Amino acid sequence: MELHLLTYVIVCPAIFLASFVDAIAGGGGLISLPAYLLAGLPIHAAIATNKLSSTTGTAFSTARLVKNRYADMKVALPSIAAALVGSVIGANAALHTSERVLQLVLLILLPLVAFYVLTKKNLEPKNPFSLKKSTEYTIVVISSFVIGMYDGFYGPGTGTFLLLAFTGLARMDLRTASGNMKIVNLSSNIAALVTFILAGKIVWRLGLAACVFSIAGHYLGAGFVMKDGSRIVRPIIIVVLVLLFIKIISGLI
C-alpha cells in the first residue's frame, strides 16, 4: 500500500507511547493497534504490522526479565509450545475472517479488554498457596494455548490475561508470573508474526520504523513505577479508544 508522511506521523509516536505505557502498566496494545487503524491501514494489515512492532518491544522486556531470573523455565518450556500452536491457530483464523466481521469483533472486544486492563488491581494472590507442580503445569499450558489463540487473532490485553491466569489460577507469585508471562507472550507474538509474514500482510516500511519507536518506548518506560504510571495510562487509553470507535462506526455506517 502507498504510505504518506502523515501515516508515519500518526503511527510512530503512538507506538512509542504504546510501548511506554506497556512497560509501565501493560495494555499498550490498546493504543498500538488502534493507531495503525486510525492511520488508514486495512484491518488485516494493521493486526499483522502491529505484531511486528509489538514483538520487538516484547523481546526487549522478556530479555530483561529472563536475565534477572524472573521466570521459572521448567514451567515456561511446555507453555511456549502451547502458545506457539494456539497463536498460529488464532492468526490463521484472523486471516480467514472478513474485514467487516473483524471490525464488528473489534467493537465487541475493545471495550471488554479495555475494562479488564483499566480496572485490574494488584495481581499478587491474596492468600498464596502452592499447587502441585503437575497441576500448575497443566493450568499454565492450557492458559498459554487459549490466550495464545486470542493473541494470534487479536492481541491487546494478552499480557494482562496471562498474568490473571498465572497468578489467580496457577497461584504463581507475581515476580515469577511476570517473567513467564513475557516468555509466553513473546512466543505467541513470534508465531503470529511468522504466520502474517507468510501471508504477506505486513507493511514492512511502516512496521520497521515503528519497531525503533517501540524499543525506545520500552526502554524509557522501564524506569517508571507501575502504580504511578497507571495514572498516566488510563486517560491515554480512553482517548485512543474513543477515537477508534468513532472511526470504526463511521466506516460501518
Side-chain angles (χ1 to χ4, degrees):
M1 62 173 292
E2 185 179 354
L3 298 176
H4 301 282
L5 179 60
L6 181 60
T7 305
Y8 291 92
V9 170
I10 293 172
V11 169
C12 290
I15 297 304
F16 172 83
L17 182 62
S19 302
F20 182 79
V21 164
D22 205 52
I24 295 171
L30 291 168
I31 298 173
S32 59
L33 180 58
Y36 286 108
L37 293 169
L38 289 169
L41 269 68
I43 194 164
H44 290 98
I47 293 173
T49 309
N50 183 54
K51 275 287 174 251
L52 177 61
S53 55
S54 65
T55 299
T56 306
T58 303
F60 181 90
S61 301
T62 303
R64 185 164 174 261
L65 290 175
V66 171
K67 180 181 178 181
N68 288 284
R69 301 173 184 263
Y70 271 58
D72 182 345
M73 295 308 297
K74 291 182 179 179
V75 181
L77 291 176
S79 62
I80 288 172
L84 289 171
V85 174
S87 184
V88 169
I89 293 173
N92 277 287
L95 288 170
H96 289 88
T97 303
S98 71
E99 183 163 339
R100 184 171 181 83
V101 170
L102 277 178
Q103 288 177 323
L104 292 172
V105 170
L106 205 63
L107 286 175
I108 297 171
L109 282 179
L110 268 176
L112 293 177
V113 175
F115 174 80
Y116 279 107
V117 172
L118 294 173
T119 60
K120 67 178 181 179
K121 307 296 183 183
N122 183 6
L123 296 174
E124 190 78 64
K126 292 181 180 178
N127 299 301
F129 60 87
S130 298
L131 296 175
K132 290 182 180 180
K133 274 297 178 183
S134 59
T135 304
E136 180 182 313
Y137 280 29
T138 301
I139 292 172
V140 169
V141 169
I142 293 174
S143 300
S144 298
F145 175 75
V146 173
I147 299 173
M149 280 197 294
Y150 165 79
D151 191 28
F153 183 82
Y154 179 50
T158 295
T160 299
F161 296 144
L162 286 169
L163 276 178
L164 287 170
F166 291 175
T167 57
L169 300 178
R171 312 305 296 178
M172 284 182 171
D173 63 274
L174 185 57
R175 176 190 173 99
T176 305
S178 296
N180 282 65
M181 173 272 288
K182 283 294 183 183
I183 292 173
V184 171
N185 199 4
L186 178 61
S187 302
S188 62
N189 272 340
I190 291 173
L193 177 60
V194 171
T195 303
F196 289 129
I197 288 174
L198 294 175
K201 295 296 183 180
I202 294 178
V203 182
W204 283 102
R205 283 185 296 162
L206 180 61
L208 291 173
C211 285
V212 176
F213 286 82
S214 179
I215 293 172
H218 271 272
Y219 179 80
L220 291 178
F224 280 71
V225 180
M226 179 183 288
K227 183 178 180 180
D228 292 335
S230 65
R231 297 174 185 174
I232 305 171
V233 169
R234 297 172 192 274
I236 293 172
I237 291 179
I238 290 171
V239 170
V240 173
L241 290 179
V242 168
L243 291 174
L244 180 63
F245 267 110
I246 293 172
K247 178 176 175 60
I248 292 177
I249 292 173
S250 65
L252 290 174
I253 296 175

